[in-house]
Amino acid sequence: MNSKYHLFALLLVQALIGPKSAFAQEIDFKPTYESLKQYTTPEWFRDAKFGIWSHWGPQSVPERGDWYARFMYLQGVLDWGEKFDVNESHTKRYGHPSEFGYKDLIPLFTAEKWNPEKLMELYQKAGARYFVSMGQHHDNFDMWNSKLQPWNSVNMGPKRDIVKEWQDAAKKKWNAFWGFFSWRSCLDLF
């Protein structure tokens, strides 16, 4: 893998658990390997052992997940090792993607029964010591009140700041929360 990806990965991790969070040391990081070598894993994280990751967004509407937004447009291409033709399934269920595309799934993503406080209680009972929310997946749909683009969960779909609500609920339980952006979308910047 190219070293710029390694550096990006290290910077991303630092951003997630950086000096402003409850997870990190007070270190002034620079975008260099030497600077990042200063970091040590917090003691609480070494002891945590188990956390919950939420991988939830508009891709949950067709109950397929992950790369639905990409595979629904690719004819005859199977989803990652699942032997499942997303395009064929989408066309049968919703119509051809040129007429009912991913943007048309977003209004169907309503989160009407989603209750982050209740979920955090369940996660804590299961033994979780921290929580990670997906902020944006490969579909580039922001799950927060993004000022960068209009394609977000406050303007469309559930009309709620999903990441903020996850954060508020998680911090009540553990004073710990991570938001995570799409790995692949970020790498496309390079």
Side-chain angles (χ1 to χ4, degrees), residues 70-107:
R70 177 173 189 257
F71 283 111
M72 67 179 277
Y73 293 101
L74 301 175
Q75 295 178 351
V77 177
L78 301 181
D79 197 351
W80 303 115
E82 294 187 39
K83 309 290 189 262
F84 184 82
D85 188 325
V86 176
N87 175 269
E88 181 181 310
S89 173
H90 180 88
T91 301
K92 285 179 184 172
R93 187 170 183 183
Y94 300 106
H96 194 274
S98 66
E99 296 167 9
F100 192 98
Y102 194 75
K103 67 176 178 27
D104 300 300
L105 288 172
I106 294 170

Side-chain angles (χ1 to χ4, degrees), residues 7 11 29-36:
L7 183 58
L11 290 172
F29 286 102
K30 306 289 185 236
T32 66
Y33 287 115
E34 287 306 312
S35 176
L36 293 173

Side-chain angles (χ1 to χ4, degrees), residues 38-95:
Q38 300 175 75
Y39 181 79
T40 57
T41 304
E43 197 63 39
W44 76 265
F45 187 71
R46 289 182 200 173
D47 294 335
K49 308 292 185 224
F50 177 60
I52 300 287
W53 160 272
S54 169
H55 185 268
W56 183 59
Q59 78 279 9
S60 65
V61 171
E63 300 172 353
R64 287 303 303 168
D66 227 12
W67 285 69
Y68 190 89
R70 177 173 189 257
F71 283 111
M72 67 179 277
Y73 293 101
L74 301 175
Q75 295 178 351
V77 177
L78 301 181
D79 197 351
W80 303 115
E82 294 187 39
K83 309 290 189 262
F84 184 82
D85 188 325
V86 176
N87 175 269
E88 181 181 310
S89 173
H90 180 88
T91 301
K92 285 179 184 172
R93 187 170 183 183
Y94 300 106

